[in-house]
Amino acid sequence: VSIKQIDIQSERAQLEQQKRRRCELEEYFRRVDRDNATKMREEEQLRHVCELEEQAMALLAEGAIGLQKLWRGMKERELVAKMKSKKKKKGKKGGKSGKKKKS
């Protein structure tokens, strides 16, 4: 075996080792890229869920405001009705009093 053949075998061994390392790194970076893509999809879904929650809270707040308006309106109408009925009762109770006209 000559020195050149030993050098060639040594270079081939290094080349094989570098190929294995390159394959390992390629696989590692494929996983990293896949994980990053998954993370971005999950973040987008999370943003979408947050938007939906905000919309739901706004809708709930609008509904609560509407209910409060209805409740206050109902109570105010009851109060006005009571005030009107009291006003009618305060009028003259005995009818006309005073002298009758002669005809």
Side-chain angles (χ1 to χ4, degrees):
V1 179
S2 70
I3 296 177
K4 285 188 178 187
Q5 286 179 340
I6 294 174
D7 286 342
I8 290 174
Q9 288 176 351
S10 174
E11 290 295 322
R12 283 184 180 162
Q14 286 178 349
L15 182 61
E16 284 299 316
Q17 185 179 8
Q18 288 174 355
K19 282 182 181 179
R20 281 193 303 272
R21 179 68 178 147
R22 191 191 80 223
C23 288
E24 290 171 2
L25 290 173
E26 285 176 350
E27 179 61 28
Y28 171 77
F29 286 113
R30 269 195 295 272
R31 278 187 268 137
V32 168
D33 289 342
R34 188 176 55 239
D35 290 346
N36 286 339
T38 301
K39 182 180 177 183
M40 290 179 70
R41 280 193 308 272
E42 289 172 351
E43 287 174 353
E44 182 60 35
Q45 288 175 345
L46 184 60
R47 276 192 294 275
H48 182 68
V49 167
C50 288
E51 288 174 5
L52 289 175
E53 285 178 347
E54 288 174 6
Q55 291 173 357
M57 290 302 291
L59 186 62
L60 184 62
E62 288 175 19
I65 290 169
L67 285 175
Q68 290 171 351
K69 286 180 183 179
L70 289 172
W71 181 257
R72 281 193 305 265
M74 186 179 72
K75 287 299 182 182
E76 291 298 317
R77 284 188 290 279
E78 286 177 3
L79 181 63
V80 168
K82 284 181 185 178
M83 290 171 65
K84 282 184 177 180
S85 68
K86 284 183 182 179
K87 188 175 182 182
K88 286 181 183 178
K89 289 181 183 178
K90 284 188 176 182
K92 294 182 181 179
K93 294 183 180 181
K96 290 187 179 181
S97 62
K99 295 182 181 180
K100 292 185 178 181
K101 293 184 182 179
K102 292 183 181 180
S103 13

